[in-house]
Amino acid sequence: MSFAFTPEEQTRIDVAAFLGIKLDPIGYVELSTIIVLSVMYAVEFIALCYQLHNRDYLPLKAKNVPVMFSLYFGGISWLMGDIFTGGLVHLGHSAVLRNCKFTIIWLRVCIGAYYVTSIFALRCYSLYYVFYKGKAFKGKAMMVSLGLAVLSIAVFGAISMLVPTDMTAQYEEMLDMCYINNNYVIAVLSVIWSIWLYTAIMTWRMRKIPFCFNERVELFTTFVILLVVSLLNSVALLVVDVYPASRGWRNALLYANHVGASIGYWVVMWEPTYGCLFHREEYLQYWINILKEDQMEREYDYSTNMNETTLNLVDFADDIPVKADSRCASSHNFTADSLNNNMDDTLHSTIYIR
């Protein structure tokens, strides 16, 4: 896979010019983009392995580490799909890469973009289910919701594969890139915008609801990320003329999609991961103190003589049924100072502020 400027690349540029398309050559800018995002995902993989190893640490357990792990692999699939179909690499040398119908429908759309955005939307629904409806989002409710999301993705992918190639995506040999039918683009973006609209509605409906931890930040971040990603992809795919031909657009879209997804992931996982790694016992005590302050001991089945190994929680913090008059809002501006007077002074000035 060459990123050097070759005679074949010049021929490709000339053919594109003949067709009225300004084609920027694939070069070291694309290589640097792939390297940067690959390193980003590699760092996240190391963090995920650490989180899985410590998945019984209560603040991490509350974030549902296995689901976040599946979200990571959805991001990897999306990255591969974006690279293969977004004009960042040559496709002609590989029969697999030339199968644009597969790489677009499954890697980029279904297992990638749809699954990642659906998991973010599902998290919004879990918060709504707990804090608005006052019910536990676990067991049947959680499995049915996740199952419906996965089933809808599988059905969309299966139908897309049955549709003729010229109505979905196909390999354009002269330009050595994937071509996506505009009607199919509209269908895909309609689903993406529907997911964003759903998160917008959920965010609006929960705007006055008190939360216990940093859920409001997560909701707002999800809302903004999905909006930005949806807008950029809509402009690139519907407005820009053959966006994979433009060096600026193909690299910018890749960064927007995957840096956005990474931010969404770290907004959820950063604080408990940092606390587990650097201040394990202090952060656990801080986390438990929030439960006491918000009068959440009964919902968490917590008693003061329990320690980390014997504390019996429901599987996920989002699973906790919260009363409509919960005082969770008190945690947003709560510091470790007011929760644990014996905590080290250094910790008082660090991240333990909601």
Side-chain angles (χ1 to χ4, degrees), residues 169-235:
Q170 58 186 341
Y171 175 65
E172 179 56 61
E173 185 175 0
M174 289 189 298
L175 297 178
D176 190 28
M177 65 174 59
C178 291
Y179 167 78
I180 312 175
N181 183 282
N182 276 344
N183 291 329
Y184 187 70
V185 168
I186 293 172
V188 170
L189 289 175
S190 296
V191 177
I192 294 292
W193 277 107
S194 297
I195 295 173
W196 174 82
L197 181 62
Y198 177 81
T199 62
I201 293 172
M202 290 295 101
T203 302
W204 176 257
R205 296 189 70 174
M206 291 187 284
R207 68 191 184 280
K208 296 181 180 180
I209 294 179
F211 293 105
C212 290
F213 297 102
N214 63 340
E215 291 90 349
R216 192 175 301 281
V217 175
E218 295 174 22
L219 277 174
F220 181 74
T221 302
T222 299
F223 171 81
V224 172
I225 288 174
L226 289 181
L227 176 61
V228 171
V229 169
S230 300
L231 281 173
L232 286 177
N233 279 271
S234 297
V235 171

Side-chain angles (χ1 to χ4, degrees), residues 58-117:
L58 298 178
L60 282 175
K61 189 175 183 179
K63 300 299 184 179
N64 198 343
V65 175
V67 171
M68 298 305 292
F69 199 71
S70 72
L71 180 68
Y72 170 82
F73 283 102
I76 290 291
S77 175
W78 192 5
L79 176 66
M80 293 171 61
D82 277 349
I83 291 174
F84 297 154
T85 66
L88 279 83
V89 295
H90 296 289
L91 310 178
H93 66 282
S94 171
V96 175
L97 298 186
R98 292 198 301 270
N99 187 356
C100 293
K101 192 171 185 178
F102 170 79
T103 54
I104 286 178
I105 292 174
W106 290 111
L107 292 183
R108 183 171 181 176
V109 175
C110 291
I111 303 176
Y114 277 6
Y115 185 76
V116 171
T117 54

